């Protein structure tokens, strides 16, 4: 008799059967129910008695033999979709990792990938693939939930636990805040705002469009750790991106001070970095640039908060208005500064921060030490962050930060930077004037105007010197833009700049409404003359106020205090700059000299200048005075002195003067012309000195470190060289020891390369003793004179006479580090042995191994490229390509040499350049120190103490020759 269907306790209920028949794998919980259902049905099947007449076949696997062939069959059935599943997952992860720290919204993309994966996943489970996959995923989910539970327990309160976000929501919130924060940074830093020149013209320009990459180099190489010295002149010198890249390898570069005089663009540099990181364009400047979160803090604005509250860095950042109004996530800055994994998730990836403190010198002097100590503490507290600090030199030296290991100086603009800035500046002005339109016509207008200004700067040495300062270059461009052209005479140019800077300020406030341009100029003239009388450029606020108080009250009454006048001229006009805190000076010495000359003229105090004819501090002021009035008395007094400086000054004034009495003009010209042909050797020498000194002051600038003469050395100037040195180095076409009568001002010819170089060596020394040098004066650099190379003759085509080109003297002024003075002198005088020893000494000095007298292997790899180039160029120049590092490297490569040491190649190399003869390496005293030596014979390598003195006392070992191989490789890596 059939029994009713009543399930026993160990049998499944109807509800369980329904669950089994309706497997829903849309969630992991339902997947678990399916697994449990299958298990119950399996138990029921196994426990049913054989006599049971009811056979319920519900479990789909009950009658299926689970064998190896079953798994293979199931695997093959789902195999086609597995690659698609993993490829989709991989693409989702890769795209998310690449763009998650940018401003790109990935929400829709994330949802799309999740939808695709979910569909594939459901399909897999719907095919009844074995339940191990679902079980594995379930176990992973349980583990993750347990981990999250453990993280919940780390929090202090129930409310904080409730506030925890899921990994996805936290990352999403972080991304949204980061976008808001970056947008705010862009709004604050996108305008070109040169400090000290608040208005650059009728339009506000985009910083990114006009910015010129600044050149940075260590203030002192001793502050750079060994092993990093190669970056000293990395890109001649390096840009900021190179130092940020170096910070990833060298911990000492994670805290850098950037110092420079006023107007060199320190603040602009930091804002440019902020803009590039906020816009995610940093990698366009250097592919190796690290990805950083930019944080900029202006110390002048936050100094009181630091002193009063002593906050930690994250707290101070969150107090900033641009951060606070964007509702920063709790501990977001803290986590990124420390590179922590946020407590709420293991999936949130932190980033390094770039913390920039601007203007230590702008902090009140009595608080500067406290601020410096606070900055030092933050550097210690957050070792993973990169810190940049800007300051004017005196401001930093008065309160140095202990943990800052690298101090970089911003170099002046070079000629390429000047040209690039002017072109960008004019192009952006043209575009803005046409409401953002850009076409070929606008480009042509911008090119025409910028080319005109560039040409004027090149042809005016005073203007070229001013253009090296970004602030002054902006002034010059502004004047040129307003006026359409620059005046031809210097005195008119300075007048134009003062007029534009003091007068045309549509958006200025306060002082611009109270005083006219002429009134402000009257006050500044008094200040300028006072500073000239004190032989100084600097003044503090109290002193300056007392100097101008009387004249200011005469033009402004009680409407304006002296302190406010000085500060407003600095803030609005830019003619004064705050060099240090409350220490001011004129933006350029030329402005001080011009205004002092105007004051002397208007107050009729010419006697001041007559008494200062022998004081070179006053010479430019005297010239600018003569350019505005009658220079007869100045020139007449100078003629009565009959010395080099007085006669040179008299000739300068005669050329620039507004007017001169004819009798005095003729007397001056006759004195010089007669002196050049005089039989009295002392009178001739004086006239020749005046002529030569004026030549050196008129060289044409071709870049920031070179000036070229536009004519050849004359016979009388060469006669001066012979008389001063006592050398009987007479040209071939002279009869005796003197030039022919009437030839004093003709170019000297018939001079050999060697003798012409001796003339240049003498000229370098003479110009220093007479304090007469070209205007390329840079700290720790010196002026040198040499001949033009063949390449330079072709590059700067002066339509030379072929004879003069070969045997005349055409000089070039170059600026080199002062440490090369002795080497330059030895080489130009062909003292090869001394030059060889000086080369070894220099390389040991540069590498910091002078005391050890040995250049260790580890220093070869990082030897500064710029120093290698300078030493090589000097040897190449003096030997006309016969000696030099590059010559040796080229021979080594030509013989088959590589970066790896080869004894066979080295023996061939040694024999070729004359270091090895008959299977024996030479001693140092066997080297040949003249031009008869084989090609590449000198310089001998300073890998060992003092050249070859150690190397050749024994047979060279493989290790020693390997070091020289490394040095040759370094030469090649430096681009030689």
């Amino acid at each position: 008799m059939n029994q009713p269907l009543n399930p026993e306790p160990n049998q499944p209920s109807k509800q369980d059967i329904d669950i089994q028949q309706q497997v829903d794998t849309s969630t992991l919980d339902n997947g678990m129910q399916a697994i449990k259902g299958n298990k119950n049905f399996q138990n029921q099947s196994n426990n049913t008695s054989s006599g049971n007449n009811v056979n319920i076949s519900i479990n789909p696997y009950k009658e299926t033999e689970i064998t190896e062939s079953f798994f293979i069959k199931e695997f093959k059935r789902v195999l086609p979709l597995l690659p698609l599943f993993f490829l989709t997952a991989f693409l989702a992860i890769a795209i998310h990792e690449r763009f998650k720290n940018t401003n790109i919204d990935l929400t829709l993309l994330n949802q799309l990938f999740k939808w695709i994966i979910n569909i594939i996943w459901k399909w897999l489970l719907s095919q009844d693939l074995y339940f191990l996959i679902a079980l594995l995923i379930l176990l992973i989910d349980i583990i993750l939930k347990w981990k999250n539970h453990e993280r919940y327990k780390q929090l202090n309160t129930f409310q904080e636990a409730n506030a925890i976000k899921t990994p996805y929501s936290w990352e999403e919130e972080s991304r949204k805040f980061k976008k808001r924060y970056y947008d705010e940074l862009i709004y604050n830093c996108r305008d070109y705002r040169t400090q000290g020149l608040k208005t650059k013209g009728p339009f506000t320009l985009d910083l990114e469009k006009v910015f010129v990459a600044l050149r940075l180099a260590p203030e002192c190489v001793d502050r750079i750790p060994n092993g990093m010295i190669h970056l000293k002149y990395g890109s001649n010198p390096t840009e900021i991106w190179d130092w940020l890249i170096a910070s990833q390898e060298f911990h000492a570069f994670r805290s850098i001070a950037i110092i420079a005089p006023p107007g060199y663009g320190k603040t602009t540099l930091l804002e440019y970095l902020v803009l590039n990181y906020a816009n995610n364009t940093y990698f366009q400047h250097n592919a190796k640039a690290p990805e950083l979160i930019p944080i900029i803090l202006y110390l002048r604005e936050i100094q009181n908060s630091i002193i009063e509250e002593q906050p930690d860095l994250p707290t101070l950042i969150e107090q900033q208005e641009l951060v606070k109004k964007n509702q920063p996530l709790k501990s977001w800055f803290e986590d990124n500064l420390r590179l922590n994994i946020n407590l709420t998730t293991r999936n949130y990836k932190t980033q390094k921060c770039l913390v920039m403190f601007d203007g230590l010198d702008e902090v009140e002097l009595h608080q500067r030490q406290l601020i410096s100590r606070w900055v030092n503490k933050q550097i210690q507290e957050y070792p993973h962050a990169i810190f940049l600090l800007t300051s004017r030199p005196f401001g930093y030296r008065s309160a140095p930060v202990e943990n800052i290991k690298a101090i970089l100086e911003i170099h002046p603009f070079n000629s390429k930077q000047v040209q690039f800035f002017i072109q960008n500046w004019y192009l952006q002005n043209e575009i803005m004037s046409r409401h953002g339109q850009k076409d070929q016509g606008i480009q042509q207008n911008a090119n025409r105007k910028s080319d005109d200004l560039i040409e004027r700067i090149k042809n005016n040495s005073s203007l070229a010197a001013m253009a090296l300062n970004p602030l002054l270059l902006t002034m010059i461009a502004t004047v040129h833009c307003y006026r359409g052209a620059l005046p031809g005479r210097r005195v008119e140019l300075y007048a134009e700049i003062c007029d534009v800077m003091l007068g045309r300020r549509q958006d200025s406030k306060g002082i611009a409404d109270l005083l006219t341009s002429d009134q402000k100029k009257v006050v500044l003239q008094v200040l300028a003359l006072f500073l000239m009388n004190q032989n100084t450029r600097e003044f503090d606020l109290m002193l300056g106020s007392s100097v101008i108080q009387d004249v200011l009250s005469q033009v402004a009454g009680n409407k304006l205090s002296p302190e406010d006048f000085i500060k407003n001229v600095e803030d609005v006009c830019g003619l004064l700059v705050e060099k240090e805190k409350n220490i001011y000076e004129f933006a350029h010495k030329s402005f001080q000299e011009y205004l002092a000359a105007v004051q002397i003229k208007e107050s009729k105090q010419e006697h001041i200048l007559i008494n200062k004819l022998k004081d070179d501090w006053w010479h430019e002021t005297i010239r600018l005075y003569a350019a505005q009035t009658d220079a007869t008395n100045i020139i007449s007094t100078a003629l009565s002195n009959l010395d080099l400086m007085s006669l040179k000054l008299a000739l300068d004034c005669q050329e620039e003067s507004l007017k001169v009495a004819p009798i005095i003009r003729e007397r001056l010209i006759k004195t010089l012309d007669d002196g050049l042909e005089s039989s009295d050797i002392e009178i001739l020498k004086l006239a020749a000195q005046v002529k030569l000194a004026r030549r050196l002051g008129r060289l044409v600038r071709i870049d920031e470190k070179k000036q070229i003469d536009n004519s050849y050395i004359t016979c009388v100037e060469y006669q001066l060289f012979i008389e001063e040195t006592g050398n009987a180095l007479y040209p071939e076409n002279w009869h005796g020891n003197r030039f022919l009568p009437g030839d004093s001002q003709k170019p000297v010819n018939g001079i050999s390369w060697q003798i012409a170089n001796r003339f240049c060596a003498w000229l370098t020394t003479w110009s220093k003793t007479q304090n007469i040098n070209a205007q390329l004066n840079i700290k720790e650099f010196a002026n040198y004179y040499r001949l033009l190379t063949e390449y330079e003759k072709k590059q700067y085509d002066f339509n030379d006479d072929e004879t003069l080109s070969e045997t005349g003297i055409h000089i070039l002024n170059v600026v080199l580090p002062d440490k090369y003075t002795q080497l330059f002198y030895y080489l130009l005088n062909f003292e090869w042995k001394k030059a060889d020893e000086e080369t070894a000494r220099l390389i040991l000095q540069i590498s910091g191994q002078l005391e050890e007298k040995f250049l260790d292997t580890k220093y070869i790899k990082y030897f500064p490229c710029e120093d290698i180039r300078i030493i090589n160029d000097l040897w190449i120049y003096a030997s006309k390509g016969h000696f030099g590092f590059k010559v040796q490297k080229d021979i080594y490569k030509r013989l088959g040499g590589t970066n790896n040491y080869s004894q066979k190649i080295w023996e061939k190399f040694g024999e070729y350049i004359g270091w090895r003869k008959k299977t024996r390496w030479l001693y140092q005293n066997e080297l040949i120190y003249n031009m008869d030596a084989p090609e590449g014979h000198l310089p001998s390598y300073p890998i060992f103490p003092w050249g070859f003195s150690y190397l050749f006392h024994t047979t060279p070992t493989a290790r020693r020759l390997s070091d020289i191989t490394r040095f040759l490789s370094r030469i090649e890596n430096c681009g030689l």
Side-chain angles (χ1 to χ4, degrees):
M1 183 175 179
N2 293 337
Q3 299 293 326
L5 187 61
N6 292 320
E8 297 180 2
N10 63 341
Q11 292 178 326
S13 65
K14 187 175 185 303
Q15 183 180 6
D16 291 329
I17 295 173
D18 292 336
I19 293 173
Q20 169 61 24
Q21 291 175 332
Q22 301 173 10
V23 176
D24 183 1
T25 59
S26 61
T27 64
L28 290 174
D29 290 336
N30 288 339
M32 190 59 172
Q33 290 293 337
I35 294 171
K36 291 169 67 177
N38 279 330
K39 182 177 179 181
N40 289 336
F41 285 124
Q42 188 67 39
N43 289 338
Q44 179 222 358
S45 176
N46 293 337
N47 292 325
T48 303
S49 62
S50 60
N52 202 338
N53 294 327
V54 180
N55 184 12
I56 304 175
S57 181
I58 295 176
N59 189 347
Y61 292 110
K62 180 179 178 182
E63 297 178 353
T64 304
E65 182 179 359
I66 309 226
T67 63
E68 181 179 356
S69 61
F70 167 78
F71 286 107
I72 295 174
K73 179 180 178 181
E74 289 293 308
F75 180 74
K76 287 181 177 179
R77 186 159 53 87
V78 298
L79 183 62
L81 274 182
L82 285 177
L84 179 60
F85 174 79
F86 288 112
L87 178 61
T88 305
F90 174 77
L91 286 175
I93 293 171
I95 293 175
H96 189 266
E97 285 295 319
R98 174 63 183 86
F99 293 104
K100 71 178 184 177
N101 293 319
T102 67
N103 295 334
I104 299 175
D105 193 340
L106 300 177
T107 303
L108 293 177
L109 189 61
N110 288 338
Q111 294 295 335
L112 176 62
F113 280 123
K114 287 176 66 177
W115 180 71
I116 295 173
I117 293 172
N118 196 36
I119 289 177
I120 298 172
W121 179 247
K122 284 184 177 181
W123 185 89
L124 289 172
L125 291 183
S126 70
Q127 300 302 309
D128 296 326
L129 185 65
Y130 199 61
F131 298 107
L132 287 177
I133 297 177
L135 181 61
L136 177 62
I137 299 299
L138 180 63
L139 290 174
I140 292 174
D141 185 62
I142 292 172
I143 292 171
L144 290 175
K145 287 182 177 179
W146 176 77
K147 286 288 185 181
N148 275 337
H149 177 70
E150 290 298 311
R151 302 180 85 85
Y152 276 86
K153 291 165 63 177
Q154 296 179 24
L155 300 177
N156 298 325
T157 65
F158 177 78
Q159 290 79 7
E160 289 177 321
N162 286 337
I164 290 182
K165 299 179 181 293
T166 64
Y168 175 76
S169 65
W170 171 266
E171 187 170 355
E172 185 69 12
E173 289 299 317
S174 173
R175 187 194 62 77
K176 288 180 179 178
F177 166 70
K178 187 176 181 181
K179 185 178 187 306
R180 295 194 303 269
Y181 172 59
Y182 278 14
D183 286 345
E184 198 68 36
L185 289 176
I186 293 170
Y187 301 152
N188 279 271
C189 298
R190 63 187 176 186
D191 293 337
Y192 176 59
R193 302 187 301 268
T194 303
Q195 192 71 19
L197 187 60
K198 307 303 182 186
T199 304
K200 270 66 65 181
F203 307 106
T204 300
L205 306 182
D206 289 339
L207 174 58
E208 282 191 300
K209 303 295 185 181
V210 297
F211 183 81
V212 176
L214 301 177
R215 303 175 305 137
L216 303 167
E219 178 196 34
C220 177
V221 73
D222 296 336
R223 295 294 303 271
I224 303 301
N226 291 329
M228 295 181 286
I229 194 171
H230 67 295
L231 285 170
K232 182 174 189 276
Y233 292 102
S235 299
N236 192 29
T238 52
E239 295 180 9
I240 187 61
W241 304 109
D242 299 298
W243 297 95
L244 292 178
I245 293 169
S247 69
Q248 307 304 294
E249 181 179 357
F250 301 109
H251 188 273
F253 285 160
R254 292 183 186 172
S255 53
I256 298 174
I258 300 174
I259 63 174
Y264 270 54
K266 300 180 292 296
T267 301
T268 305
L269 173 63
L270 298 190
E271 292 180 346
Y272 183 71
L273 285 174
V274 169
L275 206 56
N276 274 274
Y277 276 109
N279 278 323
N280 196 37
T281 56
Y282 61 93
F283 56 85
Q284 296 177 4
H285 301 282
N286 195 314
K288 296 181 180 179
E291 185 176 6
L292 303 168
I293 296 175
I295 299 167
I296 187 167
L297 298 167
Y298 302 93
L299 291 176
R300 188 172 192 170
E301 298 176 1
I302 62 175
Q303 57 181 314
N304 292 332
S305 297
I306 294 175
I307 299 299
E308 295 169 4
E309 303 171 16
Q310 286 294 309
D312 58 23
L313 184 55
T315 302
L316 184 65
I317 295 170
E318 291 170 358
Q319 290 174 355
Q320 303 308 298
E321 184 60 30
L322 69 84
V323 175
K324 185 165 39 176
K325 69 182 182 181
N326 285 293
Q327 302 174 349
L329 298 180
K330 182 179 179 182
S331 76
W332 191 85
F333 285 103
E334 175 78 22
D335 290 338
N336 284 288
L337 285 166
R338 294 190 183 279
L339 287 185
N340 286 341
I341 296 177
N342 194 281
L343 287 176
T344 60
T345 173
R346 294 177 61 185
N347 297 330
Y348 173 61
K349 182 181 177 182
T350 51
Q351 282 182 255
K352 279 187 178 181
C353 292
L354 175 61
V355 183
M356 294 167 277
F357 296 113
D358 181 56
L360 179 63
D361 57 290
E362 297 177 1
V363 173
E364 297 290 341
L365 183 60
H366 65 280
Q367 294 184 340
R368 201 174 293 162
Q369 288 284 353
L370 297 174
I371 298 297
S372 176
R373 287 196 289 270
W374 181 85
V375 170
N376 191 69
K377 182 180 178 182
Q378 307 314 308
I379 295 174
Q380 286 180 321
E381 187 70 19
Y382 302 98
H384 296 295
I386 299 173
F387 290 87
L388 299 181
L389 173 77
T390 65
S391 177
R392 296 169 187 175
F394 181 83
Y396 182 78
R397 293 179 187 125
S398 65
V401 179
E402 182 180 352
N403 278 307
I404 287 183
K405 306 302 181 183
I407 303 176
L408 307 181
E409 285 185 318
I410 299 178
H411 278 218
F413 272 0
N414 58 28
S415 57
K416 290 183 179 179
Q417 288 174 305
V418 170
Q419 181 173 334
F420 187 70
F421 174 83
I422 293 173
Q423 290 170 342
N424 286 350
W425 193 90
Y426 258 112
L427 178 58
Q428 293 309 308
N429 265 288
E430 287 294 312
I431 292 173
M432 295 300 292
S433 68
R434 305 299 173 91
H435 307 289
Q437 181 183 357
K438 182 180 179 181
D439 55 34
Q440 188 175 359
I442 290 175
Q443 182 73 57
Q444 290 175 350
N445 285 340
N447 289 344
R448 176 177 52 80
K449 295 177 181 179
S450 61
D451 289 347
D452 179 74
L453 179 55
I454 291 168
E455 192 64 26
R456 289 177 181 274
I457 290 175
K458 283 183 178 180
N459 295 327
N460 188 316
S461 59
S462 298
L463 205 59
M466 292 173 62
L468 302 181
N469 182 306
L471 172 64
L472 300 181
L473 179 57
T474 306
M475 283 186 182
I476 294 169
T478 302
V479 172
H480 187 262
C481 180
Y482 273 125
R483 302 294 191 182
L486 289 178
R489 302 173 71 225
R490 286 185 308 135
V491 67
E492 294 173 353
L493 170 64
Y494 299 150
E496 291 283 355
I497 291 179
C498 289
D499 178 51
V500 171
M501 295 300 109
L502 294 175
R504 297 194 178 191
R505 287 289 173 258
Q506 302 298 326
D507 61 340
S508 59
K509 300 179 181 179
I511 185 172
D513 295 331
L514 297 174
L515 299 180
T516 66
S517 172
D518 289 339
Q519 288 174 320
K520 285 180 276 186
K521 188 175 177 182
V522 166
V523 177
L524 291 174
Q525 288 170 193
V526 173
L527 177 61
L529 181 55
F530 171 82
L531 295 175
M532 290 301 300
N533 279 317
Q534 298 298 314
N535 277 40
T536 185
R537 291 188 59 195
E538 300 177 1
F539 62 94
D540 60 37
L541 188 59
M542 182 179 297
L543 176 62
S545 299
S546 64
V547 171
I548 66 172
Q549 185 171 5
D550 290 342
V551 65
L552 182 62
S553 63
Q554 294 174 17
V555 299
N558 298 323
K559 297 178 181 179
L560 194 64
S561 68
E563 293 81 4
D564 288 339
F565 174 86
I566 292 173
K567 290 180 179 179
N568 277 280
V569 170
E570 189 258 339
D571 288 337
V572 177
C573 306
L575 281 184
L576 292 177
V577 294
E578 191 177 13
K579 183 179 180 182
E580 310 295 344
K581 188 63 178 177
N582 286 328
I583 302 296
Y584 294 84
E585 67 180 15
F586 282 92
H588 195 272
K589 188 186 176 187
S590 296
F591 298 140
Q592 177 175 316
E593 292 164 332
Y594 162 72
L595 291 169
V598 174
Q599 178 64 15
I600 289 173
K601 175 195 169 188
E602 293 182 355
S603 60
K604 300 180 180 179
Q605 300 184 69
E606 188 182 75
H607 63 277
I608 295 177
L609 301 180
I610 290 176
N611 294 330
K612 301 292 185 181
L613 289 180
K614 295 186 178 182
D615 186 348
D616 58 1
W617 168 260
W618 285 87
H619 284 181
E620 184 65 8
T621 305
I622 294 172
R623 294 185 189 98
L624 292 170
Y625 171 81
Q628 302 175 68
T629 187
D630 189 339
T632 300
N633 291 337
I634 298 287
I635 296 174
S636 178
T637 305
L639 280 170
S640 64
N641 291 330
L642 284 182
D643 58 65
L644 171 60
M645 298 308 296
S646 296
L647 286 178
K648 177 179 179 296
L649 183 62
L651 284 168
D652 292 341
C653 290
Q654 182 260 332
E655 284 191 355
E656 294 192 52
S657 64
L658 189 63
K659 62 179 181 178
V660 178
I663 189 172
I664 297 298
R665 186 188 300 272
E666 292 172 6
R667 179 184 165 195
L668 175 62
I669 294 173
K670 188 175 186 302
T671 298
L672 181 63
D673 290 346
D674 290 350
L676 295 175
E677 295 283 344
S678 176
S679 58
D680 186 324
I681 193 61
E682 293 303 323
I683 295 177
L684 182 142
K685 285 172 61 177
L686 176 59
Q689 287 177 343
V690 172
K691 185 173 182 62
L692 186 56
R694 297 192 73 221
R695 174 187 295 276
L696 301 185
R698 293 179 169 186
L699 301 183
V700 178
R701 183 187 297 268
I702 54 180
D703 61 36
E704 75 280 6
K705 290 185 178 180
K706 288 181 183 177
Q707 293 186 114
I708 193 170
D709 195 0
N710 55 12
S711 63
Y712 284 87
I713 295 295
T714 61
C715 289
V716 72
E717 291 166 319
Y718 187 79
Q719 184 79 51
L720 176 65
F721 158 65
I722 293 175
E723 299 298 334
E724 291 279 325
T725 61
N727 294 325
L729 303 173
Y730 306 117
E732 298 173 356
N733 56 356
W734 283 18
H735 301 291
N737 59 0
R738 183 184 167 112
F739 57 85
L740 297 175
D743 286 355
S744 63
Q745 300 196 56
K746 292 181 180 180
V748 65
N749 59 61
I751 306 296
S752 68
W753 167 268
Q754 290 80 3
I755 293 177
N757 271 305
R758 289 193 180 186
F759 174 87
C760 292
W762 166 81
L763 182 60
T764 298
T765 303
W766 180 81
S767 64
K768 290 180 180 178
T769 58
Q770 299 293 334
N771 197 26
I772 302 171
N773 262 316
Q775 297 185 22
L776 293 174
N777 292 318
I778 306 174
K779 181 183 177 183
E780 297 180 356
F781 284 72
N783 289 273
Y784 302 88
Y785 296 93
R786 64 168 174 81
L787 303 177
L788 271 70
T789 63
E790 292 301 321
Y791 171 76
E792 288 166 340
K793 289 177 182 178
K794 295 176 182 177
Q795 185 179 12
Y796 313 118
D797 183 15
F798 283 92
N799 297 318
D800 280 345
D801 176 271
E802 185 175 346
T803 302
L804 288 176
S805 180
E806 292 295 327
T807 64
I809 302 178
H810 196 171
I811 63 171
L812 184 80
N813 173 257
V814 294
V815 173
L816 293 174
D818 198 44
K819 60 189 174 187
Y820 290 107
T821 300
Q822 197 62 57
L823 176 61
F824 186 85
Y825 179 83
Y826 287 147
L827 287 172
L828 262 65
N829 283 284
F830 309 107
E831 298 181 36
W832 303 112
K833 188 173 189 300
K834 290 182 179 179
D836 194 30
E837 293 172 349
E838 178 66 11
T839 299
R841 190 195 69 79
L842 276 171
I843 292 184
L844 293 172
Q845 175 190 340
I846 292 165
S847 61
Q849 301 296 294
L850 193 57
E851 293 183 2
E852 290 80 359
K853 297 185 178 181
F854 187 88
L855 186 59
D856 193 81
T857 303
K858 62 183 178 181
Y859 296 111
I860 298 173
K861 180 180 178 182
Y862 299 120
F863 195 85
C865 285
E866 183 68 7
D867 290 293
I868 288 179
R869 291 191 193 100
I870 291 174
I871 294 172
N872 175 74
D873 289 348
L874 291 175
W875 277 92
I876 292 284
Y877 166 77
S879 66
K880 299 192 77 171
H882 195 64
F883 300 141
F885 291 148
K886 186 179 187 304
V887 177
Q888 294 167 337
K889 186 268 296 181
D890 289 344
I891 294 171
Y892 177 74
K893 300 290 285 188
R894 194 162 64 240
L895 294 174
T898 66
N899 293 341
N900 298 319
Y901 165 72
S902 167
Q903 182 177 350
K904 182 179 179 181
I905 295 296
W906 260 102
E907 288 177 354
K908 289 172 60 178
F909 177 72
E911 291 170 0
Y912 188 98
I913 65 173
W915 291 352
R916 177 183 169 90
K917 289 184 179 179
K918 297 179 180 180
T919 70
R920 182 180 70 87
W921 292 92
L922 301 183
Y923 288 94
Q924 182 186 18
N925 58 9
E926 295 179 278
L927 297 180
I928 304 172
Y929 290 108
N930 57 54
M931 290 293 290
D932 294 329
E935 180 188 18
H937 193 68
L938 298 174
S940 60
Y941 282 90
I943 303 300
F944 306 93
W946 305 104
F948 278 168
S949 58
Y950 177 75
L951 169 61
F952 294 133
H953 279 86
T954 59
T955 301
T957 64
R959 178 171 180 263
R960 295 170 184 170
L961 292 177
S962 294
D963 284 339
I964 308 180
T965 304
R966 292 187 185 94
F967 194 78
L968 289 171
S969 298
R970 180 59 178 164
I971 292 170
E972 185 172 30
N973 291 338
C974 290
L976 296 181

